[in-house]
Amino acid sequence: MDFLYDVQDEKRVLSALQYMPAAEQIEQLANFYKIMSDPSRLMLLMALEKGELCASDLANVAKMSRSAVSHQLKALKQAKLVKSRRQGKTIFYELDDEHIHSVLKVALEHIKEGADHHD
């Protein structure tokens, strides 16, 4: 295999290359983090951690306008981070699956752990 630079530990380099996802998956992962990087969207996702809520209730929790919440929910839904269901005239939103719960939980634990280490 040809490398751009001298290899210090070929075994580890080859292992890293074998583990590396396809370029398309890297792009999808970057887009996932782009969507998750907005504080308003993160607030909505965190509000949905405990269960489904309608847009009005999400607006109350996040202290955002209903139109802002609807705009953010559209982006979250397109990214498959939330799903919705209609009950009469009301649409309820919830996290799309357990993976989203896990990502939020682990990331928040990491942040809290980092804060504890720097006190």
Side-chain angles (χ1 to χ4, degrees):
M1 178 173 280
D2 292 330
F3 294 104
L4 296 174
Y5 304 99
D6 291 338
V7 174
Q8 301 301 310
D9 188 331
E10 187 171 352
K11 184 177 178 182
R12 287 188 181 181
V13 169
L14 293 174
S15 178
L17 285 169
Q18 189 174 22
Y19 177 77
M20 192 64 58
E24 181 181 321
Q25 291 173 320
I26 294 285
E27 184 71 27
Q28 290 171 342
L29 191 57
N31 289 332
F32 173 84
Y33 281 113
K34 270 187 219 173
I35 291 290
M36 299 271 291
S37 70
D38 181 273
S40 296
R41 288 191 286 263
L42 268 178
M43 194 176 304
L44 296 175
L45 291 171
M46 294 306 296
L48 293 171
E49 272 287 292
K50 292 299 179 185
E52 67 179 14
L53 291 166
C54 68
S56 294
D57 288 344
L58 279 167
N60 286 322
V61 171
K63 296 178 177 52
M64 296 168 59
S65 71
R66 281 177 50 168
S67 64
V69 167
S70 293
H71 176 75
Q72 298 299 352
L73 284 170
K74 182 179 178 183
L76 291 169
K77 204 170 171 189
Q78 286 175 335
K80 295 184 173 47
L81 297 179
V82 299
K83 59 186 175 183
S84 62
R85 70 172 182 87
R86 180 179 291 277
Q87 184 175 328
K89 291 183 178 184
T90 306
I91 299 174
F92 290 92
Y93 296 88
E94 65 180 324
L95 297 181
D96 190 71
D97 63 25
E98 190 57 40
H99 295 111
I100 308 306
H101 285 284
S102 298
V103 168
L104 292 170
K105 181 181 176 195
V106 169
L108 189 58
E109 285 173 1
H110 176 73
I111 297 300
K112 288 178 178 178
E113 183 181 284
D116 291 344
H117 287 7
H118 292 97
D119 288 343

